[in-house]
Amino acid sequence: MEHCKNPWKHVCTSEDIKLYIQVKGENLPICQRCWSQIADQDEEW
């Protein structure tokens, strides 16, 4: 099973994948908890 690969939080090992984001051409699985944090950031990416 794959785990979260949040590019801003390298220690997340959650397997509760909710979506994928594309960063530098690579699709990264993101868990619900990390996505909530990423979506609330005031940064453009």
Side-chain angles (χ1 to χ4, degrees):
M1 185 135 227
E2 65 185 348
H3 66 278
C4 182
K5 293 186 180 176
N6 182 346
W8 296 278
K9 182 180 174 185
H10 298 286
V11 295
C12 185
T13 59
S14 175
E15 295 178 348
D16 181 28
I17 304 305
K18 293 299 177 188
L19 56 92
Y20 291 80
I21 61 172
Q22 190 171 51
V23 177
K24 297 181 181 177
E26 182 180 359
N27 290 327
L28 304 176
I30 304 295
C31 71
Q32 176 65 44
R33 183 177 17 155
C34 286
W35 177 243
S36 295
Q37 294 170 355
I38 291 170
D40 287 340
Q41 289 180 357
D42 196 26
E43 294 183 32
E44 288 190 36
W45 49 280

